[in-house]
Amino acid sequence: MRGTTVLPGTPCAAPKAGDPPMHRLELRLPDDVPFAAGSFDAVGPLSRAAFPHRHTFHEIVHVTSGTGTHVVDLARWPLSPPHLGVVLPGQVHRWEDAEGLDGTVVLFTEDFLLDHPGDRDLLRRLGERPWHTLDGPTHARTARLMAELVEEYRHGADGFATVLRSLLHVLLVRTARLPGPGQAGPPPAGPPPGRPAAVAEEFARLTARTGAEGRTVRECAELIGVTPGYLTEAVRAATGRTPGDLLRAARTREAQRLLIGTGLSIRQVASRVGFDDPAYFCRFFRRETGRSPGDFRKHHDRRAPSLEDDGPRP
């Protein structure tokens, strides 16, 4: 849990110049479980933060009322409650023009997923479909489950950590069953169990971490403890894509987050995602997205302030 949890009142570490703030999960006691649940008011004002920021923890939010927009990375989700949303560690999100925002927030670090390690894969897949508008019965079931999580967390009776993990597991499994936009049924299941699937899962976890964008396939293989060839076979079997493809996608995704969520110049964004040469970064970004970094920033978020760029002009 090092670096992911703090005691109440501990200030967040100052981000690098221009980067979004990184919020950590507050614990009630030094030996408390890395979990929290409650209403927006109970969790605190940062639960409604209108400025772009990241978390070191997972967040699941059940929105029961409010207007405005929830922004996660490149996606904008207008509020028309009830909703169920998932925010993964490292994603940049904010509540834009939110009024009357209410509901329940559940926060936890990856270290909390001890009893159900498969929930890590569920969370990554949910991160691909992070926002759901709930029908009446699903909203009612979700509200009851959220209330149980809050009640168990509030009282902290004997064995409460195990109960919280079990309830969280039920919430994740039920959420994974919900169809995404345009889907008639739940999303396909993850890869079958086995050593290749475990390697592919570890690679996915590695590439999802902030700061991993500049790693090579060989470096990732060494960190996981396999050969680059085995890593390539395992990842291709699980995803249909190569590790190189996914590393480029992670690099592009982080660059997009920084371009629309920060005031960093293009040169600074290039450096943050591992490019020494801003001109090469611009060519890479255009190849991956079809747009120059400057054009992407200009057209994606028209509310962003005008910036003085010290990088190459697109």
Side-chain angles (χ1 to χ4, degrees):
M1 295 189 306
R2 185 177 301 167
T4 65
T5 52
V6 295
L7 292 174
T10 304
C12 292
K16 294 180 181 178
D19 280 2
M22 180 71 82
H23 295 169
R24 294 169 293 170
L25 180 59
E26 289 190 349
L27 300 182
R28 295 178 295 188
L29 298 169
D31 58 349
D32 208 349
V33 295
F35 180 95
S39 66
F40 280 91
D41 288 335
V43 171
L46 290 180
S47 64
R48 295 187 178 94
F51 54 88
H53 62 283
R54 302 181 194 261
H55 303 154
T56 61
F57 50 85
H58 298 272
E59 176 176 345
I60 299 177
V61 56
H62 181 216
V63 181
T64 57
S65 65
T67 59
T69 303
H70 188 211
V71 183
V72 182
D73 286 342
L74 312 183
R76 302 172 61 85
W77 308 96
L79 295 184
S80 180
H83 298 292
L84 189 65
V86 178
V87 183
L88 303 184
Q91 290 186 310
V92 177
H93 90 114
R94 69 184 187 275
W95 299 94
E96 187 176 280
D97 300 326
E99 295 184 7
L101 183 62
D102 204 1
T104 305
V105 181
V106 174
L107 313 173
F108 55 96
T109 71
E110 190 146 317
D111 304 283
F112 188 69
L113 305 174
L114 296 175
D115 296 349
H116 304 280
D119 287 352
R120 295 184 176 95
D121 183 57
L122 272 180
L123 280 162
R124 276 194 300 279
R125 287 192 279 135
L126 286 173
E128 299 172 1
R129 308 176 305 110
W131 198 249
H132 301 273
T133 299
L134 307 180
D135 59 26
T138 304
H139 169 51
R141 285 194 299 270
T142 302
R144 288 193 296 269
L145 190 50
M146 286 291 195
E148 286 191 72
L149 282 162
V150 172
E151 189 74 8
E152 194 68 32
Y153 173 71
R154 181 183 298 152
H155 290 289
D158 289 346
F160 81 106
T162 299
V163 175
L164 286 173
R165 291 186 177 100
S166 298
L167 292 171
L168 179 61
H169 175 67
V170 172
L171 176 63
L172 294 176
V173 170
R174 286 181 177 174
T175 305
R177 293 173 181 168
L178 297 176
Q183 289 181 323
R195 173 61 173 161
V199 168
E201 181 179 340
E202 180 60 27
F203 177 76
R205 191 154 55 237
L206 185 63
T207 56
R209 295 172 188 159
T210 304
E213 297 80 23
R215 289 197 174 112
T216 66
V217 173
R218 181 173 295 278
E219 288 170 339
C220 290
E222 289 175 355
L223 288 170
I224 297 171
V226 297
T227 66
Y230 188 89
L231 177 63
T232 298
E233 292 177 5
V235 171
R236 183 181 281 125
T239 69
R241 303 175 68 185
T242 69
D245 290 338
L246 297 177
L247 285 172
R248 285 192 296 275
R251 215 172 196 183
T252 303
R253 183 171 60 247
E254 179 65 7
Q256 290 173 320
R257 287 171 176 165
L258 296 176
L259 285 167
I260 66 173
T262 75
L264 294 171
S265 69
I266 291 174
R267 181 183 296 276
Q268 290 171 318
V269 171
S271 177
R272 291 288 200 276
V273 296
F275 287 90
D276 296 328
D277 181 356
Y280 180 59
F281 165 69
C282 288
R283 292 195 296 271
F284 167 86
F285 191 89
R286 185 186 290 275
R287 184 177 68 243
E288 296 297 316
T289 68
R291 280 183 166 175
S292 70
D295 190 51
F296 175 83
R297 168 178 268 166
K298 176 182 177 182
H299 288 90
H300 191 276
D301 189 355
R302 300 180 187 278
R303 296 168 59 100
S306 177
L307 300 168
E308 289 290 329
D309 247 338
D310 59 358
R313 296 297 174 187

